[in-house]
Amino acid sequence: MIETIRNAWKIPELRKKILFTVFALLIFRLGSVVPVPFIDSNMLGATLNNMGGIFTLLGAMNGTAFSMAAVFALGVQPYINSSIIIQLLTVAIPALERLQKEGGEEGRKKIAAITRYVTVAIGLLQGFGYYTLIRTQGGGTMLDTAGLPGWWAGIVIVLCFTAGSAFVMWLGEQITEFGIGNGISIILFAGILSRGPSMIRTMYQGVRNNLDGVTGEGIFNLPVWAIPLILIGMLAIVVLIVFIQNAERRIPVQYAKRVVGRKMYGGQSSHIPLKVNMTGVMPIIFASTLCSLPGLIFRFINLDASSHPALYAFFSVFNYNSALYLIVYVLLIVAFNYFYVAIQYNPVDIANQLRKNNGTIPGIRPGKPTSDFITRTLSKITLIGAVFLAIVAGFPIILGNITGTSIQLGGTTLLIVVGVALETGRSLEGYMTARYHKGFLE
């Protein structure tokens, strides 16, 4: 990776793309520390750290900007949600499906425009939800309106959050067009890495508290022997992620020869690549969100154990450290992985495309036998990918229970960071290969 970056820096065009990407990320980090007016960010940060659940997910995805109530607090989350919604609607609504498959470049532009509008709408909803959280938690003490009407402060806060999410979306598109790699992924990568220094500081403080014998409510203690265990576990997960991310099942395809006019086409061999982890981190995000919702509801309704023992016991089941939570979490990851693969790949369409192009899988008859074979292969690959995602997401929870420290979403963030790094490296190598490729005439 380092050698790839060094070689890329020597190419003038690629050096401009790298510098543009770095400059865009500097703008993103600047907006991640500019606070929204009328909010006490210090009190808000302490409150969010104690709430956990879905707020830990949002904090992990958006970096330190979320807990600071910065202008870019929502980050790329509205755009990611919008993209997922549009992708699901494309499967459910025939008009959108035709626009995506048959619309060509113009159709893709229309879907991109719809995604932007939905992003702004989701940004408004999430911004309003963030403002509602600030008003309800602590009795509104986190708001400092300086004598201004409360409704005016609310409008300013919500619009700042929405404008920040829209600007981050635009910044990601600029990186994709003029920079290196996928812009949204790069911004998500930068937001996750921004939490690195605070995580190291927290672990160091936990070890100091344990050595000094400091105890008490809210005190984080971490034994010294847990540090090597955590580092070894993270290294093992990184190696596993790199291996699985590059793994794929290649289905061989043989194309028959055919004569069109005076030319002969076909006769070559190819393959259909099926990645082991074709869904990325999406199943983990879906499962984390669903498992965190009961805890979020529990915090808002503030149930009393003596008055509502049944409801209190139900919501207590979704405690992050409980074994039942881990089981439900893993099952949801597996279910969402199968669901996401099902909407991405249609074996019948793949079989029809092979038949139209006179392609066959060796040993498999065209038509329904081909689609059945692809379905069986997809099921096996999806199961392996689901087990991989369950290990990546569940291992930090188990390790956290063993060491007594909180490593929520550690595997998720590692999966995103390693995946984006590999994708960016492939983009650099692809650009250099295309630039230095020598044709047969040279």
Side-chain angles (χ1 to χ4, degrees):
M1 183 67 180
I2 297 176
E3 186 66 25
T4 301
I5 296 176
R6 186 183 303 169
N7 293 334
W9 186 257
K10 299 176 183 178
I11 305 174
E13 304 97 301
L14 206 51
R15 184 164 60 242
K16 292 179 181 179
K17 289 179 174 290
I18 294 174
L19 290 175
F20 180 87
T21 304
V22 172
F23 179 71
L25 291 180
L26 288 176
I27 296 177
F28 169 70
R29 290 304 305 150
L30 180 63
S32 299
V33 296
V34 176
V36 170
F38 311 125
I39 298 178
D40 187 346
S41 58
N42 294 327
M43 185 178 295
L44 175 64
T47 303
L48 292 178
N49 290 334
N50 294 328
M51 294 185 71
I54 194 172
F55 300 104
T56 304
L57 172 65
L58 294 174
M61 297 299 162
N62 301 327
T64 55
F66 183 75
S67 59
M68 293 175 59
V71 176
F72 292 166
L74 300 181
V76 297
Q77 204 71 28
Y79 182 82
I80 293 175
N81 294 335
S82 173
S83 300
I84 294 172
I85 291 172
I86 295 301
Q87 189 173 9
L88 294 177
L89 289 179
T90 301
V91 179
I93 302 177
L96 285 177
E97 187 177 7
R98 288 194 301 271
L99 191 65
Q100 184 184 45
K101 292 183 177 180
E102 304 171 6
E105 185 65 26
E106 191 65 26
R108 285 190 290 270
K109 287 182 179 179
K110 289 182 180 179
I111 290 180
I114 295 172
T115 305
R116 295 189 192 101
Y117 293 136
V118 176
T119 300
V120 174
I122 293 177
L124 277 171
L125 290 176
Q126 290 190 351
F128 179 74
Y130 203 170
Y131 170 69
T132 305
L133 169 70
I134 295 171
R135 282 185 59 94
T136 55
Q137 295 296 319
T141 56
M142 289 179 283
L143 290 175
D144 182 14
T145 59
L148 294 174
W151 60 268
W152 173 253
I155 291 175
V156 172
I157 291 172
V158 173
L159 288 181
C160 283
F161 286 143
T162 306
S165 65
F167 184 82
V168 169
M169 174 187 65
W170 176 83
L171 194 63
E173 292 177 348
Q174 300 307 303
I175 294 176
T176 302
E177 185 174 357
F178 302 107
I180 296 295
N182 183 282
I184 300 298
S185 299
I186 295 291
I187 290 176
L188 188 61
F189 176 86
I192 292 173
L193 288 188
S194 68
R195 297 178 60 89
S198 64
M199 293 173 59
I200 296 174
R201 184 170 59 251
T202 301
M203 293 177 63
Y204 172 76
Q205 188 60 44
V207 173
R208 286 290 303 272
N209 291 338
N210 185 75
L211 293 177
D212 296 341
V214 179
T215 58
E217 185 178 356
I219 298 299
F220 175 64
N221 292 316
L222 182 65
V224 180
W225 58 265
I227 299 295
L229 185 61
I230 293 174
L231 294 178
I232 293 173
M234 292 175 65
L235 181 60
I237 290 181
V238 169
V239 173
L240 178 64
I241 290 172
V242 172
F243 176 75
I244 296 296
Q245 288 291 95
N246 293 324
E248 62 182 19
R249 168 75 160 88
R250 297 181 177 180
I251 301 177
V253 177
Q254 181 68 38
Y255 290 95
K257 294 181 179 180
R258 55 177 178 158
V259 178
V260 179
R262 295 184 178 181
K263 294 184 179 180
M264 180 177 291
Y265 296 92
Q268 75 272 20
S269 299
S270 182
H271 64 269
I272 302 173
L274 299 177
K275 293 183 67 65
V276 174
N277 180 28
M278 60 187 74
T279 59
V281 75
M282 290 305 171
I284 299 181
I285 294 178
F286 287 162
S288 300
T289 303
L290 283 184
C291 288
S292 300
L293 284 178
L296 177 63
I297 297 172
F298 175 72
R299 290 188 176 276
F300 272 103
I301 61 180
N302 198 14
L303 283 176
D304 185 18
S306 58
S307 303
H308 305 86
L311 285 176
Y312 188 86
F314 169 76
F315 284 113
S316 299
V317 166
F318 293 91
N319 182 19
Y320 185 83
N321 297 319
S322 67
L324 187 57
Y325 176 93
L326 179 61
I327 294 173
V328 174
Y329 187 36
V330 168
L331 291 178
L332 284 176
I333 289 174
V334 174
F336 277 125
N337 193 61
Y338 272 94
F339 170 75
Y340 209 76
V341 170
I343 67 174
Q344 281 185 313
Y345 287 88
N346 189 341
V348 176
D349 286 347
I350 297 176
N352 290 335
Q353 288 296 328
L354 288 176
R355 173 180 284 182
K356 289 179 181 178
N357 294 293
N358 292 329
T360 58
I361 299 174
I364 307 296
R365 288 181 299 169
K368 190 175 184 303
T370 298
S371 65
D372 292 341
F373 175 79
I374 296 174
T375 301
R376 290 194 302 270
T377 306
L378 268 177
S379 298
K380 296 175 183 178
I381 294 296
T382 304
L383 179 60
I384 298 174
V387 172
F388 159 71
L389 292 177
I391 293 173
V392 169
F395 181 76
I397 300 177
I398 298 173
L399 185 61
N401 289 332
I402 294 174
T403 60
T405 180
S406 176
I407 325 176
Q408 296 188 25
L409 299 170
T412 307
T413 53
L414 276 178
L415 181 61
I416 295 173
V417 168
V418 175
V420 173
L422 291 175
E423 179 187 354
T424 306
R426 283 193 290 265
S427 298
L428 290 173
E429 291 175 355
Y431 186 92
M432 289 187 293
T433 301
R435 187 178 189 276
Y436 286 114
H437 177 70
K438 295 182 179 181
F440 66 91
L441 294 177
E442 297 181 336

